[in-house]
């Protein structure tokens, strides 16, 4: 095998390797939720919505809750992607600052981190809710209602 042929083979392999890396980058960039949250546990947090971030890769609901002794405590609840929420009827206007909500969530593995993973949410004022219900097939019915 001549020098020119070897160089061509090396370039071909580098192109193949580069293509594989580019295709795998999105997969490597996404984290497993169980890496950060205790999925088998559920906590309840009630408080006032401070901000609703309707964005990708995950939306976030920021609320001001309370600790056991009534001291204010901020929480950031990680939710689903915009496309998933839109399929369930959720829009950027579904939650507003000032809404009082109750959230059922997986707690963070780090007890000092106030991030939680949202499993179910209910707004007190009109009983709007997402998650936790069962449809006729026994699967979660996560369709939300807009106001």
């Amino acid at each position: 095998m001549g020098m020119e042929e070897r160089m061509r083979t090396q370039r071909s392999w580098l192109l193949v390797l580069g293509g594989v890396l580019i295709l795998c980058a999105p997969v490597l960039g996404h984290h497993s939720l169980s890496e950060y949250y205790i999925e088998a546990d559920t906590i309840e947090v009630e408080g006032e919505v401070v901000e609703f971030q309707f964005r990708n890769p995950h939306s976030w609901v920021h609320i001001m809750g309370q600790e056991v002794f009534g001291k204010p405590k901020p929480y950031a609840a990680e939710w689903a992607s915009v496309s998933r929420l839109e399929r369930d009827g959720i829009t950027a206007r579904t939650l507003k600052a000032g809404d009082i909500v109750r959230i059922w969530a997986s707690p963070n593995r780090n007890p000092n981190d106030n991030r939680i993973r949202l499993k179910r949410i209910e707004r007190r004022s009109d009983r709007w809710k997402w998650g936790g219900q069962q449809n006729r097939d026994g699967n979660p019915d996560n369709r939300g209602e807009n106001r």
Side-chain angles (χ1 to χ4, degrees), residues 5 34 50 63 65 77-78 109 131:
E5 194 174 328
S34 62
V50 175
I63 70 168
E78 187 171 2
R109 291 190 178 281

Side-chain angles (χ1 to χ4, degrees), residues 32-101:
S32 167
L33 292 173
S34 62
E35 181 179 339
Y36 299 101
Y37 306 108
I38 305 169
E39 293 293 324
D41 290 351
T42 301
I43 61 169
E44 272 185 57
V45 178
E46 186 168 352
E48 184 176 325
V49 173
V50 175
E51 182 181 13
F52 175 39
Q53 297 175 335
F54 192 65
R55 65 179 190 189
N56 285 315
H58 299 151
S59 294
W60 291 84
V61 179
H62 296 271
I63 70 168
M64 185 58 71
Q66 290 185 342
E67 290 184 342
V68 178
F69 299 107
K71 182 179 173 188
K73 182 176 182 178
Y75 288 91
E78 187 171 2
W79 206 352
S81 68
V82 168
S83 60
R84 165 69 196 281
L85 293 177
E86 285 176 340
R87 281 194 306 266
D88 292 343
I90 310 296
T91 71
R93 294 182 305 273
T94 298
L95 295 172
K96 296 180 176 90
D99 284 347
I100 304 298
V101 295

